[in-house]
Structure formats: C-alpha cells, structure tokens
Amino acid sequence: MARYQAGIRTETRILDATRELLAEDGIDGTTLKAICERAGVQAGSFYNLFPSKEQAIMRVARDAIRAVDPDPERAGTDTLDDLVDAYVTFITDQPALARVYLQIGVSGSNDESAARRFLRHHVRRVERFAETIKREHPEVAVAEATMTAEVLLGALDGLAFRWVLDQSFDFPKHARAAVRQCG
C-alpha cells in the first residue's frame, strides 16, 4: 500500500511540475529534464509512470479539460451551449495550456502515440457534440449531426488559434456565433 501511495505522490509531483513548466515556458521549455528536476524525481521514475514527455503533457491537458466538463458522468444532460462554454472556459482560463493543447493538435507531436491519442480525443469530442446536437434536434440524421459537430469543432479550434495569437479577440462572442451558425 505504501508503495502505491508513493507512486501516486510521484505522479502528482510530475503532473504538477509539467503544468507549472507549461505555464512558465511553453511546450519548448518543458523538457523531460526540467520536469524531473522540478518534480524531484529521476528519469526512471518518470518513465515508470509515463512513456513520454508528450504523454504527461496530454494528461495535464486532459485533466484541465475534464475540470470544465459540464457533464463529467456523460449522463446526457449537457447542451451544445454547455459544451461550447466549457471549451471557451478551458481556452480563456488556461491560456498557456490552451497553447500547448492547440500545438499538439496541429503538430501531431513528435510522439506518434501522443498524436493517435489526440486524434482519439478529437473523435470523442466530435461524437459527444454530435450526440448533443442529435438530442437537441432529434429530426437531424446522425451523419448530419456528426458533420455539423466536425464543422463546429473546426470553427472553435480555429477561433481558439486566433485568440491565442491575439487575446484582444473576443473568443467567447465568436464561439457563440459559431454555435448559432452551425446549430
């Protein structure tokens, strides 16, 4: 039991260090060495918990996204507005992490498994948005709801990129406009 608790504490230190470094130095400054130094762990301990730096970064991003999830139990209670508001909150409340999230999405990362995980994450987002669209508009065919979800998410990601480049851009206003256009 003590060994399990030590592993949890080590994982927490690594994730905290990764989060802090991403906020301070971005993805380029978040090296494995810097993570290990900040967390006070050896590289071997890091690799016992994460197969790569990118996996730790994706975990930090996933945890941040989950923190704003309007329906974490996936009970089907969220609305399209709820989902968009959660994405807007993630992007605007955590700009350093948002940059990293968008960078990984665009670059696919240097780690193929991280790129595959990001793609799976995107596909799940499309499915969730499509389910919500279908729930709100039962007359819409599944294929059409999926297409609308893909277009809406593409618009939201594009608007998020715009906001990351110029934070005076009114991302929340444009995100809501995208929902009206697609919804």
Side-chain angles (χ1 to χ4, degrees), residues 80-81 84-85 87-88 129 133 137 147-160 169-183:
L80 195 54
D81 286 334
V84 171
D85 287 346
Y87 186 60
V88 167
F129 272 64
I133 291 167
H137 303 282
M147 178 70 75
T148 300
E150 192 74 67
V151 169
L152 177 56
L153 284 167
L156 291 172
D157 288 343
L159 294 168
F169 176 72
D170 194 343
F171 175 53
K173 175 182 159 188
H174 285 82
R176 287 180 190 87
V179 172
R180 285 192 304 277
Q181 294 292 318
C182 292

Side-chain angles (χ1 to χ4, degrees), residues 12-103:
T12 299
R13 286 197 324 264
I14 290 169
L15 293 173
D16 288 346
T18 303
R19 189 176 301 104
E20 291 166 7
L21 287 164
L22 288 169
E24 293 168 14
D25 303 323
I27 197 165
D28 293 332
T30 305
T31 64
L32 178 63
K33 181 179 180 191
I35 292 170
C36 290
E37 285 176 1
R38 176 78 56 101
V41 301
Q42 298 295 318
S45 296
F46 178 93
Y47 284 119
N48 282 335
L49 296 165
F50 299 97
S52 67
K53 171 187 87 164
E54 287 80 9
Q55 295 292 330
I57 290 170
M58 285 300 297
R59 171 74 180 279
V60 167
R62 186 181 75 218
D63 290 349
I65 291 166
R66 281 186 180 157
V68 296
D69 191 329
D71 183 16
E73 302 302 318
R74 304 273 316 251
T77 61
D78 50 0
T79 66
L80 195 54
D81 286 334
D82 291 338
L83 292 173
V84 171
D85 287 346
Y87 186 60
V88 167
T89 299
F90 165 66
I91 296 293
T92 58
D93 286 2
Q94 300 191 53
L97 192 53
R99 278 187 193 85
V100 170
Y101 175 78
L102 294 168
Q103 275 182 305

Side-chain angles (χ1 to χ4, degrees), residues 119-132:
L119 180 58
R120 282 194 308 268
H121 163 75
H122 175 76
V123 168
R124 284 192 302 269
R125 284 178 66 209
V126 169
E127 290 168 351
R128 184 154 179 202
F129 272 64
E131 290 166 5
T132 303

